[in-house]
Amino acid sequence: MKHTLAVLVENRSGVLSRVASLFSRRGYNIESLAVGVTEDPKTSRMTIVVDGDDHVLEQVTKQLNKLVDVIKVSDIGGDEAVERELALIKVAADVSARTEIIQIADIFRARIVDVAPKSITVEVTGDEAKIQAIEKLLRQFGIKEMARTGKIALVRGPKKV
């Protein structure tokens, strides 16, 4: 089972390295990791997706809370959170394929962010299933390059981490 953790940390150099090495030492795999500064420039927020049962989640949470730079750890997966990913997909596109690629992008509410003589770059945001669906449709044209962010998430409603 995948768990989404929101980890508030002090915004200092080396914190990401310490968190990543904690997972490595314990043999836990990070499925996804996104890090950025919060509304307070002194703190950063890590959104970490880890695969495992409740025991793995409990151990990861305990170990993260032991790190000096960690302020708070919250499990925010499921229906109680808004989750998104971003993907940039560069697709091979000759003149005859451009119209169909643009139509696919429109269906997924994606944006065309670059057009070159032999390629089109599409930007799409959404949940993991949406990103996978557009990727599958664009594969027929030849994906030249793709970059995906990790998942980011916020708790729904007035609650916050």
Side-chain angles (χ1 to χ4, degrees):
M1 182 174 178
K2 290 184 182 179
H3 298 279
T4 303
L5 300 175
V7 183
L8 291 178
V9 297
E10 294 181 22
N11 189 12
R12 295 190 199 159
S13 63
V15 175
L16 176 59
S17 175
R18 285 190 284 284
V19 169
S21 68
L22 178 148
F23 279 83
S24 176
R25 283 192 313 267
R26 300 282 182 257
Y28 300 134
N29 186 39
I30 296 173
E31 296 277 329
S32 169
L33 173 65
V35 184
V37 177
T38 66
E39 66 282 358
D40 177 0
K42 295 178 186 172
T43 62
S44 289
R45 179 186 180 112
M46 295 183 178
T47 305
I48 304 171
V49 178
V50 62
D51 194 17
D53 58 17
D54 289 338
H55 176 70
V56 169
L57 176 65
E58 181 182 348
Q59 291 303 308
V60 166
T61 302
K62 284 180 181 178
Q63 295 301 317
L64 284 169
N65 279 315
K66 287 182 182 179
L67 294 176
V68 174
D69 298 315
V70 172
I71 300 166
K72 186 174 183 181
V73 179
S74 301
D75 181 8
I76 61 167
D79 294 336
E80 63 204 41
V82 177
E83 302 175 340
R84 293 290 182 270
E85 291 185 29
L86 166 82
L88 293 173
I89 306 169
K90 187 183 295 184
V91 184
D94 57 17
V95 176
S96 63
R98 288 179 195 265
T99 304
E100 192 173 351
I101 292 169
I102 291 168
Q103 287 174 344
I104 291 169
D106 286 343
I107 291 167
F108 283 88
R109 295 188 187 141
R111 293 181 19 188
I112 305 298
V113 293
D114 185 57
V115 177
K118 296 190 180 201
S119 68
I120 290 179
T121 302
V122 177
E123 172 191 297
V124 61
T125 59
D127 61 19
E128 185 177 6
K130 180 179 179 180
I131 305 292
Q132 288 173 344
I134 192 170
E135 176 189 348
K136 183 178 178 182
L137 286 174
L138 293 175
R139 280 204 182 281
Q140 65 184 312
F141 302 100
I143 294 178
K144 297 177 121 190
E145 193 173 10
M146 183 169 82
R148 285 177 70 166
T149 66
K151 181 189 298 185
I152 58 170
L154 287 177
V155 177
R156 290 185 183 276
K159 292 178 12 183
K160 66 179 216 174
V161 171

